[in-house]
Amino acid sequence: MRLDASALPLLRELGDLKRIRSAERDGSIAERLFMRGWAALTAGDPPVSVMRRIVAAALAAARLGDLDRATLADLGLSDAEALAVLERGFDEVTVRLEPALALELREALADGAPPAGPVPHFAVQQAGQPRAGVTCPGRPRLLLQPPENHAEHCLMVAVYGVLAAPGYGADATEVFLAGMAHHFHNAAMPDAGFTGEVLLGDLLDRVIVQARERAMAMLDPAVAAPVRAALAPIGGDATPAARAFHAADVIDRVLEIEQHLRAASATMDTVLHTYELVHAGPVKTFHDRVLAEVGLL
């Protein structure tokens, strides 16, 4: 998938997984997929399988939200019916994906997202660690409410990175692991943003390494090894995987801010007419008359 202007609608839709929540489920869809990804990785599931199942679930959720396979089955659909619904949602948003990757991910829908399970403590910390917002040395920060957390950001970078990988000639699993792990240090290190990095100065690297190693120590060595290998090149952009990762990271950082600005600048004309808040139905004429009478139409 080329990361050009034609990709932005899908990337925006996926980014909203940070904000979709449901009754009796803790956290956003993005946060829960992050947790499930780490539960599967630390249980010893092959990283390529975890990548496929998590990214496929995210793509289906772009349109279906929390109407996932388990929920649909609980509501009485057969396994085949539930899968058909997921495939329809998946197909609606994946028309621009590289065909081989789209087929690989679509086939993973049958397996569903990995089940919830025990996660390393750093994943819990990242889910509780807010991102800094917009910071700049010498200026007060711009706080965004509600803030995203580091689990949500890492999940979205992992997903975007997989979608971008073919365009950079990168290995999708390597990019996925880099995205999932690149903020290990913010498990223990509260996020003070660019301002905090500048104020730490030449102490920054030492603090980040110390914090990252605390998280890494929570992983079995067999799991930590591919994670370390995926993180190794992202200090620069010399490799295809590093470039796919950094493209995903910077897009998610900017789209997160754009989402707040876009929501704040929406007009009632957009909401009522483009999005059809009061949509067609047997009482639409009455609804429109009521809104006109009170001055809202």
Side-chain angles (χ1 to χ4, degrees):
M1 180 178 184
R2 288 181 56 82
L3 292 186
D4 56 20
S6 68
L8 282 177
L10 173 57
L11 300 180
R12 288 184 178 116
E13 250 188 294
L14 286 167
D16 281 339
L17 298 182
K18 299 174 186 176
R19 289 165 276 278
I20 299 174
R21 290 170 165 75
S22 297
E24 299 186 25
R25 303 186 191 198
D26 292 333
S28 66
I29 291 177
E31 179 181 318
R32 283 182 267 119
L33 286 176
F34 178 82
M35 295 296 196
R36 288 179 176 225
W38 278 113
L41 289 168
T42 54
D45 290 7
V48 64
S49 172
V50 178
M51 176 274 290
R52 290 169 179 159
R53 295 174 70 180
I54 291 293
V55 178
L59 287 164
R63 292 288 166 86
L64 288 165
D66 264 326
L67 285 177
D68 57 19
R69 194 167 182 181
T71 301
L72 293 171
D74 182 61
L75 294 173
L77 296 194
S78 70
D79 195 53
E81 289 171 330
L83 180 57
V85 172
L86 294 180
E87 288 174 341
R88 285 198 292 273
F90 180 94
D91 291 343
E92 280 198 6
V93 300
T94 56
V95 291
R96 294 188 179 277
L97 261 61
E98 193 273 330
L101 176 64
L103 178 61
E104 178 183 346
L105 296 174
R106 194 177 193 272
E107 290 175 346
L109 289 172
D111 297 324
V119 296
H121 186 57
F122 66 72
V124 177
Q125 291 175 297
Q126 285 177 295
Q129 194 77 278
R131 303 259 297 155
V134 182
T135 71
C136 180
R139 299 178 184 274
R141 74 175 66 195
L142 298 176
L143 286 173
L144 304 172
Q145 296 296 329
E148 63 177 328
N149 63 48
H150 280 273
E152 293 166 331
H153 168 66
C154 287
L155 186 281
M156 293 320 308
V157 172
V159 171
Y160 289 171
V162 168
L163 303 187
Y168 288 93
D171 179 84
T173 303
E174 182 181 348
V175 181
F176 176 80
L177 289 177
M180 291 285 281
H182 75 289
H183 275 282
F184 264 8
H185 58 285
N186 285 117
M189 182 180 177
D191 191 354
F194 181 30
T195 298
E197 292 175 358
V198 170
L199 291 174
L200 279 163
D202 58 8
L203 301 174
L204 175 64
D205 287 346
R206 194 202 318 173
V207 171
I208 287 179
V209 168
Q210 170 70 15
R212 180 179 294 150
E213 287 306 312
R214 286 189 190 180
M216 200 72 75
M218 299 178 194
L219 295 175
D220 182 276
V223 178
V227 172
R228 285 189 187 277
L231 289 174
I234 68 170
D237 61 3
T239 70
R243 289 191 285 276
F245 162 80
H246 283 295
D249 181 49
V250 72
I251 287 173
D252 184 63
R253 285 161 51 200
V254 174
L255 281 184
E256 176 65 18
I257 309 307
E258 185 209 52
Q259 186 275 336
H260 288 272
L261 299 176
R262 189 158 42 99
S265 62
T267 66
M268 284 306 300
D269 182 69
T270 299
V271 171
L272 287 171
H273 298 110
T274 304
Y275 282 86
E276 299 183 80
L277 177 66
V278 183
H279 49 77
V283 295
K284 185 178 189 305
T285 300
F286 176 73
H287 284 166
D288 286 345
R289 186 163 68 247
V290 170
L291 293 175
E293 288 171 354
V294 298
L296 288 174
L297 189 63

